[in-house]
Amino acid sequence: MRAFIIEDEEKGRKNLSSLLEKHCPDIQVCGFAESVAEATPIFSTPGFNIDVAFLDIQLSDGTVFQLLESLKVIDFDIIFISAYAELAYRGFKYSAIDFIPKPIDIEALKSAVSRIKPRTGKTKERLEVLSQTINNPNNVERISIPAIDSIYFVSLKDMLRLEAEDNYTHIFLKNGEKITTSKTIKIYEDMLEKKNFFRIHKSHIINVNSIKRFVKGDGGYVLMDDGKQIDVSRRRRPVFIEFLKNLNNEL
């Protein structure tokens, strides 16, 4: 796969190129740029053809988002590599765009490369989700979910519940559809906190707005709008009850 690196520090460019050559033999680095001004004409050239771009975010003359927003078509995958803030990192989770913090961890790099799916036609939409999340962190309305065959864009209000199966997560929607992703349920627990989702069991996260009934006491469980009965673990029960009380007070 052909790759392009945009990084404003020469040491960073050489380090990433060396790591890719040593640990990711399927990647061939075909070019470099160190600024928005240098990269823009390259990426805008007719016939420019890459599979993935490794992008630093803060460059000497602006941010790499200025380049991306100027492109009419983005038919390559994107992996950001940057010492970026936690707020933005959460945005990358919502958008399903890979992000590797500096200093680069080799296993994180190999994992990101293994998930490259160029020319899916979804990169632009994923960037839109990322932009909305970073600019409006407290008003997230949808996320992108990388599945085996596609990337799905889902409104949080349409998500009914999530169920873990080993290292996979099944996401059940209100319309009856089920999406399976290779991301762990822990990732979604971190992502959906404070969004009226709650992990009531080690294998289950629920949208509390979709609870039909909550049966308390020993053997307590919730009955969801789709008729699914899910146990509330004994350890999480007190916190869950408190969560519901606080939610009710807010309403």
Side-chain angles (χ1 to χ4, degrees), residues 18-60:
S18 176
L19 290 175
L20 289 170
E21 182 179 3
K22 185 175 182 179
H23 301 284
C24 306
D26 292 337
I27 296 292
Q28 176 190 2
V29 178
C30 62
F32 302 88
E34 60 181 49
S35 66
V36 175
E38 182 182 2
T40 298
I42 297 174
F43 277 67
S44 301
T45 301
F48 178 72
N49 178 26
I50 60 172
D51 296 294
V52 59
F54 293 89
L55 308 178
D56 189 10
I57 295 175
Q58 191 64 50
L59 304 172
S60 58

Side-chain angles (χ1 to χ4, degrees), residues 153-170:
F153 295 84
V154 178
S155 296
L156 297 186
K157 64 181 181 180
D158 293 330
M159 294 171 60
L160 186 66
R161 56 189 178 87
L162 300 87
E163 182 176 343
E165 183 180 0
D166 297 324
N167 290 324
Y168 291 87
T169 301
H170 304 296

Side-chain angles (χ1 to χ4, degrees), residues 52-197:
V52 59
F54 293 89
L55 308 178
D56 189 10
I57 295 175
Q58 191 64 50
L59 304 172
S60 58
D61 60 347
T63 71
V64 77
F65 294 112
Q66 294 171 253
L67 164 67
L68 297 174
E69 290 169 1
S70 72
L71 301 178
K72 294 181 179 179
V73 178
I74 300 178
D75 60 353
F76 50 88
D77 215 337
I78 291 174
I79 297 175
F80 289 97
I81 299 181
S82 177
Y84 216 53
E86 171 63 25
L87 177 62
Y89 179 54
R90 179 161 298 194
F92 290 106
K93 286 185 178 180
Y94 278 105
S95 64
I97 288 180
D98 276 303
F99 168 79
I100 302 174
K102 294 180 179 178
I104 298 173
D105 177 79
I106 293 173
E107 292 305 314
L109 178 63
K110 291 163 65 175
S111 177
V113 167
S114 71
R115 292 193 295 271
I116 293 174
K117 294 182 179 180
R119 294 176 180 80
T120 61
K122 300 291 187 180
T123 304
K124 200 84 171 180
E125 292 172 89
R126 291 158 73 188
L127 285 170
E128 289 175 2
V129 172
L130 172 61
S131 176
Q132 292 168 7
T133 307
I134 292 177
N135 293 328
N136 302 284
N138 297 318
N139 192 32
V140 175
E141 295 183 353
R142 66 171 184 155
I143 62 175
S144 55
I145 302 171
I148 297 174
D149 58 343
S150 303
I151 297 174
Y152 293 83
F153 295 84
V154 178
S155 296
L156 297 186
K157 64 181 181 180
D158 293 330
M159 294 171 60
L160 186 66
R161 56 189 178 87
L162 300 87
E163 182 176 343
E165 183 180 0
D166 297 324
N167 290 324
Y168 291 87
T169 301
H170 304 296
I171 299 172
F172 296 85
L173 307 183
K174 291 182 179 180
N175 63 4
E177 188 176 4
K178 182 178 79 170
I179 301 171
T180 298
T181 176
S182 59
K183 290 184 178 293
T184 65
I185 199 168
K186 173 60 177 173
I187 289 176
Y188 288 102
E189 180 184 17
D190 295 341
M191 188 188 303
L192 297 172
E193 65 176 352
K194 300 180 182 178
K195 300 298 178 186
N196 287 351
F197 286 78

Side-chain angles (χ1 to χ4, degrees), residues 164 185 199-204 233 235-236:
I185 199 168
R199 189 170 184 177
I200 61 172
H201 188 276
K202 67 178 182 179
S203 300
H204 295 279
S233 72
R235 182 173 64 86
R236 299 172 192 266

